[in-house]
Amino acid sequence: NYPDPEEVMETIGSDALRWYLMSSPILRGGDLKIAADGSGIADVVRLVLNPIWNAFHFFTLYANADGYRATFRTDATGDLDRYLLAKTQTLVAATTDAMDTYDLAGACNQITAYLDALNNWYIRSSRERFWAPGDPNGSGDAAVADKADAFDTLYTVLVTLSKVVAPLLPMLAEEIHTGLTGERSVHLADWPEADDLPADPELVRAMDEVRAVCSTALGLREDAKLRSRLPLPSMAVAGERARALEPFAPLMANELNVKAVEVSADRSAYGTEVIRPNPRVLGPRLGKEVQAVIKAAKSGDWTRTDDGTVTVGGHDLADGEYELALETAEDVTAAPVRYVDPEGRTVDTGLVVALDTDVTPELHAEGVTRDLVRAVQQARRDADLDVTDRIALTLQLPAEQRAMVEANQQHLADSVLATSVTYRDETQ
C-alpha cells in the first residue's frame, strides 16, 4: 500500500522522498498515509524543490547574460533587498532553533514559508531590476548600482539557503551551492550564522503585511472576475497599521496593477466587522456557555486586543474557534487582511483592503495592451529567443484593438524589447 522506495528515488528523486518523510506527522508522533502512486512525494518537487531550483535558475540566467560575478554582501539599502536579507536572517535563526530541538518538520515549515517570500515576492517584484539596461559591473549610475544590489542580494540569500537546506535536501543543495560558489561541497561548509545577516523586525512585519494586502486584493480581483492584467483606478488600505504601509504604496500599486493606493486609519468606512464563533469547536471547551458566546457575538459584545486576541462575552477565543468576516454593501469590494505564519497560525493584521472596480475605457485599453504583451512574450519563448534579444514587432489587429494598443505602444515596446512596432492591415 505504498510505492517502492527505490522506484520513487529513480523517478521522483531521493531528495523529495527525504523531505516528504522528514516534514510528515510521523516525526511528531502522528500517522502518515502514503499514496500508492507517490503523488504526495511528487508534490514536494512542485512545492519545494522546483521553487528553490527556479530561483537559482533565474539568478544564473540573468547573471550570465550580463557577465556579472556576484559577491556575498548584506549592505544593500533598497526596501526589497533589506526585507529579503532580514527574512533570511529570521529563517536561519528559526531553522537553527528547530534543528537544535530535533524539530525537523518545524524546520521544513520555516523553509516552505520562506520560499513564498523569495519567489512569489522578491523575485517577482524585482524582475525589472535584473533585466534593466546597463552593465552591473559598471559604476556611478544609480540604476546600475541597483541592478548590482539585486544580483548580490539574491546571490547572498541563495548561498545561505543552500546551507540551510543541505541536511534536508542534500543533492539539490550540493548542486546549487557548488554552482554558485565553486567550493568543493556544501556539506563541508559551516552552518550559517544568523548574526551575519541584518535583522529588521519592523520591516519584516510591514512587508509581510504588504504581501498579505496584495494576496487579499488579488483574491478580491478573482472573485470579481477582474483579470490581473486589467488596471484598476485605486485601492484603499484601512486600519491602525495602514500608515506603516504607506511607504510601500508604489510597490503595492505595481504588484496589483492599480493606479493609486490610499491609506486610512478608519476601516469602518468599508464595512462592519463581525465575529462568528464556531460552536462545534467551542462546545467541548465551553459547554453550555457556547450559547452565551454566540449571543454576545451577534449583539456586538466582543473586542480584539493589539496582539490579536479576541474576547467574546468575557471568553477569550483561540485561533480556529471563530471566524472574522467583513460585512460590506453590495457595491463595495472589500475584505479583511490576514495571513498564515510559518507555524500555521492565522495572523489578523487588523487591516481592510478595498478595490475601486470602475474600469474606464482608457484602463480597458491598457489592459488589452498588457494581454498582448503576454502573447508576445510567449511568442519570444516559442522562438527560443534570449532574454536580452531585441525584436522588430509587426502586429495585425482589428481596428478597435489597434487604437487601444497604439495609445499604449511605448509600454508594449519596452515590455517585449521591441526596437520598432508596425501594424499590418487585416486585408494584407
Side-chain angles (χ1 to χ4, degrees), residues 15-38:
D15 272 0
L17 177 59
R18 182 186 183 93
W19 180 284
Y20 180 75
L21 293 174
M22 288 194 294
S23 63
S24 72
I26 285 180
L27 295 186
R28 290 177 171 172
D31 297 326
L32 174 65
K33 294 181 180 180
I34 303 178
D37 63 357

Side-chain angles (χ1 to χ4, degrees), residues 22-198:
M22 288 194 294
S23 63
S24 72
I26 285 180
L27 295 186
R28 290 177 171 172
D31 297 326
L32 174 65
K33 294 181 180 180
I34 303 178
D37 63 357
S39 56
I41 304 170
D43 284 343
V44 173
V45 177
R46 178 174 59 88
L47 298 174
V48 183
L49 275 73
N50 281 351
I52 296 175
W53 184 261
N54 289 343
F56 169 66
H57 174 72
F58 177 88
F59 169 80
T60 56
L61 177 67
Y62 287 99
N64 289 338
D66 274 321
Y68 185 69
R69 185 75 177 179
T71 59
F72 191 103
R73 63 185 181 90
T74 61
D75 59 352
T77 57
D79 287 336
L80 283 169
D81 297 329
R82 289 170 49 228
Y83 168 70
L84 186 62
L85 290 167
K87 198 74 172 173
T88 307
Q89 190 273 346
T90 302
L91 170 72
V92 173
T95 307
T96 302
D97 289 343
M99 291 289 196
D100 286 346
T101 57
Y102 299 99
D103 182 11
L104 298 182
C108 290
N109 290 340
Q110 293 290 340
I111 293 167
T112 303
Y114 173 83
L115 293 179
D116 183 67
L118 172 62
N119 287 67
N120 296 331
W121 186 252
Y122 178 80
I123 291 179
R124 191 175 65 194
S125 300
S126 300
R127 282 184 181 275
E128 293 183 358
R129 302 169 63 199
F130 288 94
W131 64 50
D135 183 2
N137 296 291
S139 60
D141 185 276
V144 168
D146 181 64
K147 188 176 185 178
D149 281 351
F151 275 123
D152 290 344
T153 297
L154 186 52
Y155 172 83
T156 298
V157 302
L158 285 174
V159 170
T160 304
L161 179 62
S162 68
K163 296 177 181 179
V164 170
V165 303
L168 307 169
L169 301 169
M171 308 296 182
L172 179 67
E174 182 80 337
E175 184 71 18
I176 291 176
H177 187 82
T178 55
L180 289 172
T181 66
E183 295 175 4
R184 182 180 175 190
S185 173
V186 68
H187 305 294
L188 297 175
D190 290 336
W191 181 260
E193 294 288 342
D195 291 342
D196 292 340
L197 296 161

Side-chain angles (χ1 to χ4, degrees), residues 340-391:
V340 178
D341 69 10
E343 303 296 331
R345 298 170 300 206
T346 299
V347 178
D348 185 1
T349 66
L351 298 167
V352 169
V353 61
L355 290 177
D356 181 352
T357 58
D358 183 18
V359 179
T360 64
E362 292 77 14
L363 293 176
H364 174 65
E366 186 176 335
V368 169
T369 305
R370 288 174 178 265
D371 290 335
L372 181 59
V373 167
R374 182 177 183 275
V376 175
Q377 296 287 37
Q378 183 60 53
R380 286 179 59 100
R381 286 190 287 271
D382 293 343
D384 200 26
L385 295 180
D386 191 81
V387 293
T388 58
D389 286 344
R390 300 283 171 172
I391 63 172

